[in-house]
Structures are given as structure tokens and as C-alpha cells.
Amino acid sequence: MRFGLSFLPDCTPETKSPQTYFSDALELSVQAEVGGLDSVKMTEHYLHHYGGYCPSPLGFLSAVAARTSSVRLMTGCVLPVFHHPIQLAAETAQVDAISGGRLDVGFARAYLPDEFDALGVDMDESNDRFRETIRAVLRIWTEEKVSEQTPFFSYRDVTGLPRPTQQPHPPVWGAAVRTPENFAWLGTEGLGLLITPLISPHEFRDHLTVYRDAFEAAHGASGLPPRVTASLPLVVAETDEAAEEIAETYLRRYLDVWAEAVNAWDRRESSAYRGYSGFGWMLRGLQAEKLYTEGGAIVGSPATVIDRIRAFNRHIGGVDQILWQIDFGAMPLPKARQTLELFCDQVLPEVTTL
């Protein structure tokens, strides 16, 4: 199993300024490479304290590329419904070149109503936009004189520049949360799968089976393997009690900021997002302790964390990579650095063979 870092800024100006947030995230990214981690991931969002500091994961990853030499760089995710495929294909290929071929491109459908409303995109069209844009980006990366005519974009005889450094293109991933059809589509298309198990890994096990079965049916003869990456909050301290004290404070902040961003779902319904109505109520009622007792976060001493990683992987049915959120809740750099150091020094050597 491989491990890395997953960033999603959840800061308010009172808890951490944008300058401080990115200074901290860049320092942690460099430390992650030194400590033997494989990947650094950043997420795109707008307007809210949940993710709003980073409208451009590619901009952040370019800065990480300039400070590192081997760690993989992952968008986790860019939101294709808000971008033209020519733009996405060109900007991702540029970062692939800057990094010497270290970019993984993760796409997500977007789900915050305020983003769709402000940017003038119909939520009910998001699934079709998501799939059409990914398909178009893949064509621009790999073909010349590409023409498209869709309800969302059209162009003729486009040859994208720059061409990707990795051939035929960077590894591509897609995020899925609740809908079985989305897990199946990602498998059928041969994309890697990105998940964020919010409460318990058990709830995702059946979804991973759907993904893997669809992947095998479409690509089994090719020898290509399905790939699953999970993102989870992590706190490691010298004792379980110390780790839980940190987790209680900063997981609560993380959940509160997230709940504020999804408040619109308390009064919104969409046929494209079944099960999302009331999402804010669910987050506001969720206890931080429930996350790390049921596996949606990993918290404890090094020995406890080793056991909980093994249990998580067993309960979910196996993943290929876990990317840790170690700075959630606008956590101060020294606390996040402690988690990273203890994980790399005392946990990583024991779990890479999972």
C-alpha cells in the first residue's frame, strides 16, 4: 500500500490566513517527500471556507513541483463542470511538464449548490457535463485535430498544446460518493477511483465491488488493474489520549466548516444528487468521536494507528493508497507536523506491505 497527503483548506480568516495556509501546506508537502510518502493531493472549491482558499489545485501543485523531485502530484479533484475541456487539457499538461511527468489528474462532479448557482451551471446537468468533459480531455491529450459537438461545448480541428509529458497521458481518477451508477461508470471507463469514507468503511465495501466488477468486465483482458485511493483524516500522537484530544477539537472545526458549505442542501433537491438533501443536518449532528471509532478517521498512538489502518483496509475490502488529511480544522503547523513525523517514522514501515 502507498500513502500520501490530501489537502482541502477548511480555514476561516480568523483561524488561518491564506498565506499561512499555503506556507504550511507547502512545508508539509516537502516533509512528506522526505519522509517517504508517495503523493500530494489538493482539491478545488469556491466561495466557502470549506475549500474556498484553493480555486486552482494545479496552481498549488506547480508550487509543490518546484520544491520536490519525486512525490506524485494529484488533483483531488478538479471540477470539470466549471471548465472548458481545452482549458483543462492544456493546464494539466502544463503541470505535467513542469513536474517532469509527476501529475495524476483526479476529476469530481462538484456538489455544492452555491458553486453551481454563482457560476451559472445547472446542477441537474452535472453528470453529463462531468462525463463529456473527461472524455473530451482524454481526446485532446491523445489525438490531433479533435472536433466536438455537445450541448456544453463545441469546437473543430483542435490540437491541444502542450502535449502531456506522460504518455499517452497522466493517470486519470474520478471521485464517487453515493451513487452506484457512478462507481460502475468509473470502472467501465477504466479510471482510478477516489473515495472519502465519511463515517465507516463498511458503507463503501459494496460500492468498491461495483467499481471493480465493472472495471474487470470492461478491461480484464487488458491486464490493467482497478485502482482505489481513499482520503482520511489522521492524527498520530505519543498516546491515544493525546491524539483523541487533538482530534476532538479539529475534527469538530472541520465538520462545522463543511456543514456551513452544504447548508444549501437543507432546502434543496436535485434529481442528479439523490440522497444529498439534509446533508448539512447530518454533518452538524455528527460527533467527532464517531469518525475515529468507526473508521472514518484514523486517530491514536503509532501502535493504535497501525491496528486501525489494518482494520480499515480489511473492512473496506482493500485499497491501493491512502492519502491523509493531517491539517484539517485549520490545525496549527506544529500539530500537523507531529502527525506526519510520527507516521513516517513509526507507522509507515509497518503498513507498506498491506
Side-chain angles (χ1 to χ4, degrees), residues 234-270:
L234 172 71
V235 179
V236 192
E238 294 292 348
T239 67
D240 290 347
E241 292 76 15
E244 291 169 6
E245 183 178 354
I246 294 169
E248 285 288 341
T249 298
Y250 295 100
L251 281 174
R252 185 68 262 160
R253 286 190 187 178
Y254 167 67
L255 292 170
D256 288 345
V257 169
W258 193 358
E260 185 271 335
V262 301
N263 273 343
W265 279 117
D266 293 342
R267 55 186 182 280
R268 187 79 164 257
E269 293 185 358
S270 170

Side-chain angles (χ1 to χ4, degrees), residues 104-161:
D104 283 44
V105 181
F107 295 103
R109 190 154 62 104
Y111 70 98
L112 297 180
D114 293 341
E115 294 178 338
F116 282 91
D117 294 346
L119 294 171
V121 177
D122 186 344
M123 289 194 75
D124 292 341
E125 296 177 348
S126 66
N127 203 42
D128 290 339
R129 280 184 177 270
F130 174 72
R131 297 181 180 186
E132 290 283 355
T133 304
I134 293 173
R135 182 183 57 80
V137 168
L138 288 166
R139 290 194 66 199
I140 294 169
W141 278 340
T142 57
E143 301 176 27
E144 297 185 358
K145 295 187 176 180
V146 177
S147 297
E148 294 281 4
Q149 184 68 48
T150 79
F152 315 114
F153 49 81
S154 61
Y155 43 83
R156 292 191 58 80
D157 296 332
V158 164
T159 298
L161 288 174

